[in-house]
Amino acid sequence: ETGVTQSPTHLIKTRGQQVTLRCSSQSGHNTVSWYQQALGQGPQFIFQYYREEENGRGNFPPRFSGLQFPNYSSELNVNALELDDSALYLCASSLRLNTGELFFGEGSRLTVL
Amino acid sequence: DAKTTQPNSMESNEEEPVHLPCNHSTISGTDYIHWYRQLPSQGPEYVIHGLTSNVNNRMASLAIAEDRKSSTLILHRATLRDAAVYYCILRYSGANSKLTFGKGITLSVRP
């Protein structure tokens, strides 16, 4: 077990709604990143946070936003949900920025109807 | 981002060695070679990484070609639990580093 926990594990939303996904990083890890994994595809980088500041962003629109808290836990918020947002959302934490291994949680499965 | 090329799938027999190839002909000098695997219904799991020299850890070995344009992940004795999707990833070692996953190679292990 990696120590990275995500909630909720599964959720269903309708188009246009908003969703918040949560991640608790492994103890001592100050860097968290979020990935989206569509069915049958590899994970795609959304963004990364280091010490509460966004530090790198992938090719995702602004309706994907995030937060990192002083205890290094994190949230991913998605506004105006679209059908294509249906995916597994993965959180990963690491001990250091830009180096070392990432520890992934088991993900939050979002279905948008 | 520099890209990697992997076969779509590979089969192996339990308790035999497995060699998973990866091509990365456009690798730059600041790219590390990372391998992650993803078991069914789980998040990716770190396996190993290296820069130039071959690397060993408790899970696997990583053999890196001298020109760094290819690498091979070696599982010394495959078990049923090793059945997973294995991703070969180049990770830039500088600012705003991230993992860029491809589709990976699906490893099946026969009992």
Side-chain angles (χ1 to χ4, degrees), chain A residues 35 37 40-45 48 55-56 88 90 94 96-106, chain B residues 32 34 36 38 41-46 49 87 91-103:
Chain A
Y35 289 77
Q37 186 172 24
Q41 304 294 317
Q44 300 300 305
F45 175 73
Q48 173 176 269
N55 181 273
L88 181 68
L90 295 159
S94 58
R96 289 180 294 274
L97 181 63
N98 295 329
T99 187
E101 62 183 282
L102 269 63
F103 294 84
F104 283 84
E106 295 196 351
Chain B
Y32 279 78
H34 285 245
Y36 281 75
Q38 189 170 20
S41 302
Q42 294 190 23
E45 173 188 30
Y46 169 82
H49 77 282
Y87 297 99
R91 187 180 187 190
Y92 171 60
S93 59
N96 298 323
S97 175
K98 61 183 186 289
L99 298 180
T100 301
F101 289 80
K103 287 194 172 182

Side-chain angles (χ1 to χ4, degrees), chain A:
Chain A
E1 188 171 313
T2 66
V4 177
T5 57
Q6 294 187 241
S7 62
T9 54
H10 295 82
L11 70 166
I12 299 173
K13 292 285 188 178
T14 57
R15 196 167 44 182
Q17 285 189 311
Q18 178 266 343
V19 70
T20 298
L21 307 177
R22 294 178 175 81
C23 172
S24 177
S25 300
Q26 187 150 332
S27 177
H29 288 193
N30 58 21
T31 304
V32 66
S33 50
W34 286 89
Y35 289 77
Q36 180 197 65
Q37 186 172 24
L39 208 57
Q41 304 294 317
Q44 300 300 305
F45 175 73
I46 303 175
F47 44 56
Q48 173 176 269
Y49 279 80
Y50 171 67
R51 294 185 175 178
E52 304 176 57
E53 298 278 335
E54 186 178 294
N55 181 273
R57 187 179 183 92
N59 189 25
F60 281 82
R63 58 190 186 83
F64 285 77
S65 63
L67 282 173
Q68 187 183 28
F69 299 101
N71 65 355
Y72 301 138
S73 65
S74 176
E75 283 183 358
L76 165 65
N77 298 290
V78 187
N79 293 323
L81 284 167
E82 300 177 0
L83 298 180
D84 284 349
D85 296 333
S86 295
L88 181 68
Y89 288 85
L90 295 159
C91 167
S93 73
S94 58
L95 189 57
R96 289 180 294 274
L97 181 63
N98 295 329
T99 187
E101 62 183 282
L102 269 63
F103 294 84
F104 283 84
E106 295 196 351
S108 294
R109 171 75 62 189
L110 171 66
T111 302
V112 183
L113 302 176

